[in-house]
Amino acid sequence: MTRLYLVRHGQTKWNLEFRAQGSKNIELTEKGKLQASLLAEKMNKYKIDCIYSSNLDRAYETALTLGEKVGIPVSKIDDLREMSFGDWEGLTMNEIQKTYESHYTVWRDQPHQAQIPGGETLVDVQKRALEAVHDIIKENEGKNIVIVSHGVAIKSILLGIMDIDLSNFYKISLDNTCINIIDFKDYGPVLVSLNDTSHLENIK
């Protein structure tokens, strides 16, 4: 059986400020680094065979913290990066809502149909991210795989693997350094764990 751990990166300053990060390379906060360390402590108890990461620093640093703890190198995969939010990147949600009201309304009500100015669509993100995940699984059949990525990207991957329509995008919540587990059995994928942040219980 192949087991896939999908992990979101640690906290960044733009997470705190509710800014659209997308393809921007935003570093972890001190809290984000602590979250990554606690994640590594927890996952050190698991059997892990390989670790892959988005090429963006916030995910890669989170993955490296884990990799150093368990003694496994991290491979960067560009297609695991976060969705590009184009003209929205660097803006707060309030600024986006005021400046791009019509686009924002579609993004909130029908995210799978949204066309963000200068950015990717959810369909684009899911296509490239799923292709990367399927390639990784094919190369590591029967192993325990960790992929460290981003909120939108991971949601699109989860929905795609579980054959759930992208219109359900907002029905999933993914917190910083959450662990999501999918087992690939003979009869198909099984979601074992979603948004597990039990390793963060003792920090504010």
Side-chain angles (χ1 to χ4, degrees):
M1 182 187 73
T2 303
R3 169 162 282 193
L4 176 62
Y5 296 93
L6 288 169
V7 179
R8 188 183 174 204
H9 63 78
Q11 182 197 76
T12 70
K13 183 180 179 183
W14 280 15
N15 286 148
L16 286 174
E17 296 173 352
F18 299 100
R19 293 185 186 276
Q21 297 183 104
S23 59
K24 296 295 186 187
N25 220 359
I26 311 303
E27 296 180 351
L28 298 180
T29 60
E30 288 305 310
K31 183 176 180 179
K33 294 175 182 178
L34 174 59
Q35 290 172 335
S37 295
L38 293 170
L39 169 77
E41 289 287 342
K42 177 169 183 168
M43 296 198 75
N44 191 37
K45 301 171 186 175
Y46 302 162
K47 183 181 184 303
I48 297 172
D49 296 303
C50 50
I51 303 173
Y52 294 84
S53 170
S54 155
N55 62 331
L56 296 175
D57 287 349
R58 57 190 182 274
Y60 187 59
E61 184 176 352
T62 303
L64 280 180
T65 301
L66 172 60
E68 289 168 2
K69 184 69 177 178
V70 301
I72 295 174
V74 177
S75 300
K76 282 186 184 180
I77 304 291
D78 290 359
D79 283 340
L80 296 174
R81 69 190 180 278
E82 183 57 302
M83 175 176 174
S84 170
F85 281 95
D87 296 350
W88 291 6
E89 293 187 359
L91 301 179
T92 65
M93 290 301 105
N94 286 337
E95 290 169 340
I96 293 168
Q97 190 172 6
K98 290 177 181 176
T99 309
Y100 299 91
E101 184 177 0
S102 60
H103 289 97
Y104 181 79
T105 299
V106 177
W107 172 244
R108 294 302 302 184
D109 295 344
Q110 298 173 303
H112 57 301
Q113 295 183 5
Q115 297 281 343
I116 295 171
E120 289 181 285
T121 65
L122 264 184
V123 174
D124 293 335
V125 177
Q126 186 181 65
K127 184 176 184 297
R128 65 164 165 80
L130 273 179
E131 285 180 357
V133 170
H134 289 317
D135 286 345
I136 289 168
I137 291 171
K138 186 176 180 180
E139 291 173 14
N140 298 280
E141 188 174 349
K143 294 183 179 181
N144 298 290
I145 307 161
V146 176
I147 290 177
V148 183
S149 187
H150 309 263
V152 175
I154 293 174
K155 282 188 188 184
S156 74
I157 292 167
L158 285 169
L159 291 170
I161 289 174
M162 302 310 296
D163 197 23
I164 299 172
D165 195 85
L166 275 171
S167 60
N168 294 289
F169 177 79
Y170 287 113
K171 294 181 180 178
I172 297 177
S173 179
L174 298 176
D175 298 316
N176 290 117
T177 67
C178 68
I179 303 169
N180 309 279
I181 304 174
I182 297 176
D183 285 345
F184 292 85
K185 299 180 180 287
D186 293 340
Y187 50 84
V190 177
L191 182 62
V192 176
S193 179
L194 180 68
N195 198 32
D196 176 10
T197 56
S198 55
H199 50 289
L200 306 180
E201 287 177 355
N202 295 323
I203 65 171
K204 296 180 179 179

